[in-house]
Amino acid sequence: MGIELKFSHLCRVDKMLSIYGETFSSRLLLGTAQYPSPLILADAVRAAQTEIVTVSLRRESGTDRAGQDFWQFIKQFGLKILPNTAGCSSVKEAVTTAHMAREVFGTDWIKLEVIGELDTLQPDPFALVEATRILCADGFKVLPYTTDDLVVADKLVQAGCEVLMPWGAPIGSGRGLNNIYALRTMRAHFPETVLIIDAGIGVPSHASQAMELGFDAVLINTAVAKAGDPALMARGFAQAVEAGRLCYDADPIEARDMAVPSTPLFGKAFL
């Protein structure tokens, strides 16, 4: 009698990524900035198999202005658009940009960035929380770019965020996960909140590590856009994110200081 192998457990429909009531099968979000050309961007999007892409608002992209060509190009992918407030450094600027993005892109989702320090592009926690309160009260679904600070994270959740996007390292640095302890603590402290690593990821192993820690997704931009072969790198990230999530779901063994034999001594032949 043959042995029937069933792999139904690999179909993780019940474990899809859920953000503000919408579900996605991919846990890789992709930024659309800095690519050498639109065609290379398109190849990377296809290779990443992503379902969410971030787009910076072009302030000049009104109805009849430059930037509409890019917006039309992005729309052809048929993906969820996540506008961001990249480059904003004050509450007023971020809130105004978010309202403009809602009008231009037709979505109440916003990746909120309020930068407070130029060398590291670290978020301004005070302005970020204030802008979040204003936007959540106005019906926005806010995905805030923040640090791994628990106090700030808690205030963002209290303000209405169902998603937090802590950095792994400074934007574009490629350093990976700078503070594993803090990120692991954040995951434990917010078990019901969607956590997406945003910024600092440099190579696929960084993304896999984030997923193994239990994070729900990762957002990649520079590491793909600036790679020698963006499409190939996007494919590598897609596989790494999937592998990391499978590892987390499988409940991996804990690290040990001593060796543990994989073959038991019981039943060993004695000569």
Side-chain angles (χ1 to χ4, degrees):
M1 181 181 294
I3 299 176
E4 181 180 1
L5 298 178
K6 296 183 177 180
F7 298 99
S8 59
H9 65 286
L10 293 179
C11 185
R12 301 176 293 115
V13 175
D14 60 324
K15 295 182 179 179
M16 296 175 69
L17 175 64
S18 178
I19 301 178
Y20 286 113
E22 298 187 42
T23 56
F24 306 91
S25 58
S26 172
R27 293 176 180 271
L28 174 61
L29 287 66
L30 197 66
T32 57
Q34 305 185 70
Y35 287 83
S37 72
L39 291 179
I40 291 176
L41 167 60
D43 288 342
V45 169
R46 284 190 288 266
Q49 298 183 326
T50 184
E51 295 169 88
I52 303 174
V53 293
T54 64
V55 179
S56 297
L57 176 68
R58 272 45 176 186
R59 289 179 174 80
E60 71 277 17
S61 62
T63 304
D64 299 315
R65 300 198 178 190
Q68 286 298 305
D69 288 345
F70 179 79
W71 173 218
Q72 293 300 324
F73 177 77
I74 290 295
K75 286 201 295 186
Q76 73 176 329
F77 297 127
L79 304 174
K80 182 69 179 181
I81 301 297
L82 175 58
N84 65 45
T85 62
C88 292
S89 58
S90 70
V91 173
K92 181 178 180 180
E93 187 180 15
V95 169
T96 300
T97 301
H99 280 91
M100 293 171 65
R102 182 162 64 179
E103 181 178 348
V104 171
F105 299 115
T107 178
D108 55 6
W109 281 32
I110 191 73
K111 177 176 177 278
L112 182 61
E113 299 181 28
V114 188
I115 301 302
E117 205 283 319
L118 293 180
D119 288 334
T120 62
L121 298 180
Q122 180 170 324
D124 178 336
F126 308 103
L128 180 64
V129 171
E130 184 179 351
T132 296
R133 288 197 183 110
I134 294 171
L135 292 173
C136 285
D138 197 30
F140 282 88
K141 296 178 174 63
V142 179
L143 293 83
Y145 165 61
T146 183
T147 63
D148 48 33
D149 186 285
L150 294 182
V151 177
V152 176
D154 192 53
K155 291 186 180 299
L156 290 169
V157 171
Q158 291 178 27
C161 292
E162 298 180 13
V163 180
L164 298 175
M165 303 185 75
W167 67 353
I171 294 173
S173 67
R175 296 179 58 86
L177 308 183
N178 269 354
N179 194 335
I180 298 295
Y181 170 79
L183 292 173
R184 184 181 287 117
T185 301
M186 177 175 275
R187 178 71 283 176
H189 195 78
F190 298 97
E192 303 301 324
T193 302
V194 175
L195 299 181
I196 301 173
I197 291 292
D198 175 21
I201 299 294
V203 292
S205 60
H206 296 158
S208 183
Q209 185 180 28
M211 302 305 294
E212 290 171 17
L213 288 175
F215 281 80
D216 297 284
V218 296
L219 169 59
I220 311 294
N221 192 163
T222 306
V224 171
K226 292 297 187 180
D229 188 331
L232 192 61
M233 185 63 77
R235 180 183 174 191
F237 271 109
Q239 294 178 355
V241 167
E242 177 69 10
R245 184 66 190 191
L246 286 173
C247 173
Y248 177 74
D249 288 342
D251 190 15
I253 65 171
E254 295 182 1
R256 302 180 176 92
D257 293 329
M258 300 293 291
V260 178
S262 57
T263 303
L265 295 178
F266 180 77
K268 177 181 179 180
F270 291 91
L271 301 179

